[in-house]
């Protein structure tokens, strides 16, 4: 099925550093969602994007809906230890009803 | 906000037995719920869409007779893994939609 490719697959950064990750698709999406998953938990929504070019912030997190509608980006500023986890992009595939397709994930590890 | 409760959070069962997982929308009604499976270090893969009052729709490759879904009320969907085998061991997560997609905290199934 449709897969959203995330990059990087994992990253190991120092506390206080900024983080950037992206999500790309071969298909156009009308909605991009960014989730964070902690170990042994379900995903929690961080940011939702609904319009091409949209830039939305949630605290230290900023996400952008790519102009081509085939990609999205998530930035985390001044990372802290609790940012550790797996970040997933997701979106309902146009014509696929309300079913969400998830990205491959980016695992973030923060070094103190 | 929308809350989805999933129970149990973990379960260990013997091969050949059946296990039931419950997913409840606590503060809203959900005509549609979604069931995902996640293997270690992998993304969430949609298994099926649970529809209140009607049959679930399964994704390609998911055995409907093995993964029985019942959505008998607007706040409860259940997933029963029948005749479980060790390869069914995984993290199962449900989701319901209200404004956005809210996820349960997941169920870790271990089949021994």
């Amino acid at each position: 099925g449709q897969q959203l490719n995330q990059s990087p697959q994992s990253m190991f950064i120092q506390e206080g550093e900024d983080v950037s990750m992206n999500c790309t698709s071969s298909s156009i999406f009308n909605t991009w969602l960014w989730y964070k998953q902690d170990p042994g938990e379900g995903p929690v929504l961080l940011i939702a994007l609904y319009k091409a070019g949209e830039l939305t912030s949630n605290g230290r997190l900023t996400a952008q809906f790519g102009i081509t509608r085939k990609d999205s980006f998530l930035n985390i500023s001044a990372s802290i230890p609790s940012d550790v986890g797996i970040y997933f992009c997701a979106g309902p595939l146009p014509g696929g009803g309300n079913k969400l397709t998830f990205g491959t994930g980016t695992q973030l590890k923060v070094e103190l | 906000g929308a809350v989805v409760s999933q129970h149990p959070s973990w379960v260990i069962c013997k091969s050949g037995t059946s296990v039931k997982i419950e997913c409840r929308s606590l503060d809203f009604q959900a005509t549609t719920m979604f069931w995902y499976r996640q293997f270690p270090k992998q993304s969430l893969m949609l298994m099926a869409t649970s529809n209140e009052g009607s049959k679930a729709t399964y994704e390609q490759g998911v055995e409907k007779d093995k993964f029985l879904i019942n959505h008998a009320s607007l706040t409860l969907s259940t997933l029963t893994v029948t005749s479980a085998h060790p390869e069914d061991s995984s993290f199962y997560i449900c989701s319901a939609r209200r404004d956005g997609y809210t996820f349960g905290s997941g169920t870790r199934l271990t089949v021994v």
Side-chain angles (χ1 to χ4, degrees):
Chain A
Q2 171 65 36
Q3 188 172 43
L4 300 177
N5 295 307
Q6 289 186 242
S7 178
Q9 184 177 358
S10 65
M11 50 197 316
F12 200 177
I13 63 172
Q14 298 277 340
E15 183 180 9
E17 287 185 354
D18 295 343
V19 174
S20 292
M21 60 188 78
N22 66 59
C23 178
T24 60
S25 168
S26 58
S27 300
I28 288 175
F29 277 74
N30 295 320
T31 298
W32 286 98
L33 306 170
W34 282 94
Y35 287 88
K36 178 176 182 259
Q37 185 181 30
D38 291 327
E41 298 288 333
V44 174
L45 182 66
L46 300 174
I47 293 179
L49 303 162
Y50 301 106
K51 196 164 54 174
E54 180 181 353
L55 186 71
T56 298
S57 293
N58 177 8
R60 294 178 296 107
L61 278 62
T62 301
Q64 184 162 24
F65 193 140
I67 291 292
T68 66
R69 307 174 79 92
K70 293 184 177 181
D71 56 10
S72 180
F73 308 89
L74 176 69
N75 296 312
I76 305 173
S77 62
S79 58
I80 59 178
S82 61
D83 290 334
V84 166
I86 304 177
Y87 291 80
F88 289 103
C89 62
L93 194 64
N98 294 322
K99 299 186 290 187
L100 275 187
T101 296
F102 274 80
T104 50
T106 293
Q107 181 161 29
L108 179 63
K109 299 178 184 178
V110 179
E111 186 178 64
L112 297 176
Chain B
V3 178
V4 173
S5 174
Q6 196 171 333
H7 179 82
S9 56
W10 61 270
V11 58
I12 302 173
C13 71
K14 292 184 177 180
S15 288
T17 62
S18 296
V19 173
K20 180 184 287 188
I21 302 170
E22 293 186 347
C23 180
R24 294 180 185 274
S25 55
L26 296 187
D27 52 356
F28 66 103
Q29 294 181 331
T31 56
T32 302
M33 291 186 178
F34 305 92
W35 287 96
Y36 295 81
R37 180 167 53 184
Q38 185 179 31
F39 292 108
K41 299 188 184 303
Q42 294 189 22
S43 186
L44 283 75
M45 297 300 295
L46 181 65
M47 299 174 65
T49 302
S50 173
N51 305 298
E52 188 269 334
S54 64
K55 291 182 180 180
T57 53
Y58 292 80
E59 295 301 300
Q60 191 172 6
V62 178
E63 300 174 59
K64 62 180 182 181
D65 294 331
K66 181 168 187 60
F67 298 100
L68 299 179
I69 291 174
N70 184 279
H71 196 151
S73 78
L74 287 170
T75 59
L76 174 64
S77 174
T78 61
L79 169 67
T80 301
V81 183
T82 63
S83 187
H85 290 284
E87 56 265 32
D88 297 325
S89 299
S90 187
F91 193 54
Y92 293 87
I93 310 171
C94 69
S95 170
R97 189 176 181 203
R98 179 200 180 192
D99 300 328
Y101 298 82
T102 302
F103 288 81
S105 54
T107 297
R108 172 74 58 194
L109 170 64
T110 302
V111 184
V112 298

